Amino acid sequence: MIKVLTVDDSRTMRDMLRLALAGGGFTVIQAVDGEHGLEVLNESGADVIITDINMPKLDGFGFIERVREDAAYRATPILVLTTESDPAKKVRAREAGATGWIVKPFHPEKLLDVIRKVAA
């Protein structure tokens, strides 16, 4: 079963992601910010990561960069899920190592399709 780590400081967004992903047959683990995301990733591992950009402690850009520093997660798909739509931020996320960019609010079925595609 595919394990998805979601990293978002919004409880509502984490709940929405958990419902959509679990409903799609994925195992879901969650973190409240980038620092916590690194801890959870080290403890539990993940096949796909979904992260927000704007978070306290360690933002999404820093989180992605830190994940990519670990050889075990260099090829793990990382999807950015954010309210941001600034092209410069998309470029920055891609340079940090993001695989894809999804703007909130997300459509659950489309998100599941993207995860299935990147996890294959």
Side-chain angles (χ1 to χ4, degrees), residues 7-64:
V7 185
D8 200 304
D9 58 321
S10 163
R11 175 183 292 280
T12 302
M13 187 54 59
R14 287 193 312 272
D15 288 347
M16 287 171 56
L17 283 166
R18 189 184 70 244
L19 284 170
L21 296 169
F26 298 105
T27 299
V28 183
I29 52 176
Q30 299 188 310
V32 298
D33 58 47
E35 280 185 7
H36 186 225
L38 292 171
E39 292 170 18
V40 172
L41 186 61
N42 286 330
E43 291 167 9
S44 304
D47 301 305
V48 178
I49 299 168
I50 299 173
T51 184
D52 190 12
I53 289 296
N54 301 310
M55 299 181 289
K57 294 188 183 172
L58 180 63
D59 70 9
F61 299 119
F63 171 73
I64 294 166

